[in-house]
Amino acid sequence: MGVFPLLRLLADGEFHSGQSLGRSFGLTRAAIWNRVRAIEGAGLPVFKVRGRGYRLAEPLDLIDARALEAALSECAVRFSVDLLDECESTNTALLERAHAGAPHASALVCELQRAGRGRRGSRWQSGIGTGLTFSVLWRFEESAGSLSGLSLAVGVAMVRAVAAFGFDHVQLKWPNDLLLGGQKLGGILIEVSGDHLGPSFAVIGIGLNVRMPRELSGRIERAATGLEDATVPSRTPLLARSLCSLGEVLPEFARLGFGPFRDEWIRRHAWQERMVTLRIAEDRVAEGTAAGVAEDGALLLRTARGIERFHGGELRLKEK
Ligand code: BTN
């Protein structure tokens, strides 16, 4: 038995005696103690009080599978969701399943992602109960080459999802970061595969920080934030709303491309009309004023040569 069954009992933040926990799982008190240590090792402090037992320092917001299913029944798209306690990376696992024939609109959600992947070989760090880490498989009739702009449309879907909880000041950074107060709130990793002329599929991976405990921010290189607020939404409805929002955006993207989402993306563009640099390759950097995005999702920069379009690279604000 891993630590999650125990965590589900401790999630209420109340005291549970070692004896009652042992009885619930048919484990000795020593075996419970070992798992408590593993929980602490995963970054969740546990209080131990003689005569009372164990309790988490704070209640833990784990995903409620039943509530998720109920909320998803209201969605435009019927997702087939698999909720795992632990995995290496939801993108890696769903890519494997996609190649093995997993159906369209499969979703894979993981409570603890041990080796989350970000763009350009970076790592995506997350903790237990702190954020959302999930991937969605979407099959397209067109070739993978026609999916440029998909990650921007997904950004719009996620901005809409968090706005539904009152976070209507989340912004987008090209090509697919979510920013809150200028700091990274979420990231999108899209991996596509398919025939030259279609069909194709995309595994759309989303990492969203909900809470940002110090232990987690210490593991993240760049400034990152969560939806820190008195009214921070619980993860289950947030996940359901994110999936439903994707279920609204993706079919429209499949029919019409990024075009219908372009104006909304630009309204949310964090660096619109700011001076930026775009590192395209080790020895190639473009510089200009961010002038929005094109209908195919290309970044538009106003440079000395006029409006130029870019399809890849790492964007930074230009230091003053
Ligand atoms: C980035 O900002 O670089 C993209 C981060 C994407 C992280 C998510 S978490 C769920 C999914 N599984 C992964 O391994 N990565 C994506």
Side-chain angles (χ1 to χ4, degrees):
M1 185 189 100
V3 296
F4 273 85
L6 181 56
L7 264 180
R8 287 208 168 79
L9 277 190
L10 292 175
D12 58 9
E14 303 292 333
F15 272 110
H16 296 261
S17 74
Q19 199 177 24
S20 72
L21 292 172
R23 228 182 292 120
S24 302
F25 300 112
L27 292 173
T28 62
R29 284 162 73 162
I32 293 291
W33 168 237
N34 281 337
R35 282 165 180 81
V36 166
R37 291 203 348 200
I39 288 171
E40 290 188 307
L44 294 173
V46 182
F47 294 143
K48 301 144 225 135
V49 175
R50 195 184 287 271
R52 299 194 71 187
Y54 305 106
R55 85 167 173 83
L56 289 175
E58 282 173 27
L60 185 62
D61 178 21
L62 292 175
I63 288 167
D64 179 336
R66 264 205 226 143
L68 179 66
E69 207 184 296
L72 287 178
S73 66
E74 314 276 307
C75 278
V77 164
R78 188 115 206 110
F79 285 97
S80 136
V81 182
D82 194 6
L83 176 58
L84 301 180
D85 286 343
E86 299 181 47
C87 68
E88 295 291 298
S89 149
T90 55
N91 258 44
T92 306
L94 194 55
L95 270 172
E96 263 174 40
R97 293 183 186 189
H99 284 293
H104 174 70
S106 297
L108 187 60
V109 184
C110 193
E111 284 285 9
L112 175 60
Q113 191 176 241
R114 293 197 176 281
R117 297 188 287 112
R119 289 176 64 237
R120 307 174 153 261
S122 65
R123 287 288 293 267
W124 181 260
Q125 302 282 356
S126 53
I128 300 177
T130 57
L132 294 178
T133 49
F134 66 99
S135 302
V136 165
L137 167 62
W138 207 260
R139 296 189 180 275
F140 295 89
E141 279 164 23
E142 300 78 19
S143 70
S146 66
L147 303 183
S148 67
L150 174 60
S151 68
L152 281 76
V154 170
V156 169
M158 289 307 296
V159 157
R160 289 182 185 175
V162 292
F165 294 86
F167 293 88
D168 46 15
H169 42 296
V170 170
Q171 293 185 301
L172 293 163
K173 176 192 160 202
W174 188 88
N176 49 15
D177 282 354
L178 278 86
L179 304 185
L180 181 59
Q183 296 187 317
K184 186 150 169 169
L185 176 73
I188 297 160
L189 175 68
I190 296 194
E191 296 178 289
V192 294
S193 173
D195 290 339
H196 193 55
L197 297 171
S200 62
F201 70 75
V203 168
I204 300 163
I206 294 168
L208 184 74
N209 303 320
V210 180
R211 296 178 182 80
M212 183 54 64
R214 211 169 290 150
E215 179 277 327
L216 177 57
S217 61
R219 284 191 273 136
I220 302 177
E221 275 169 31
R222 294 245 187 99
T225 186
L227 289 173
E228 303 289 358
D229 193 284
T231 55
V232 56
S234 80
R235 291 162 68 237
T236 305
L238 189 57
L239 173 60
R241 189 61 243 148
S242 302
L243 286 168
C244 290
S245 184
L246 286 165
E248 286 152 19
V249 164
L250 292 172
E252 192 174 347
F253 177 87
R255 275 189 295 118
L256 303 167
F258 173 62
F261 306 102
R262 180 175 172 242
D263 287 350
E264 192 174 348
W265 197 97
I266 292 174
R267 279 199 301 278
R268 294 287 192 159
H269 186 194
W271 295 348
Q272 186 74 5
E273 297 303 327
R274 304 277 301 268
M275 280 295 290
V276 293
T277 56
L278 181 71
R279 179 172 291 278
I280 302 153
E282 202 47 48
D283 54 353
R284 220 186 130 211
V285 176
E287 199 177 291
T289 306
V293 288
E295 295 238 330
D296 63 353
L299 175 71
L300 302 178
L301 288 190
R302 199 176 303 111
T303 72
R305 284 185 292 277
I307 294 284
E308 293 191 79
R309 305 160 63 94
F310 297 91
H311 288 275
E314 188 62 33
L315 196 64
R316 295 261 167 96
L317 264 185
K318 193 164 173 335
E319 321 291 340
K320 288 202 192 103

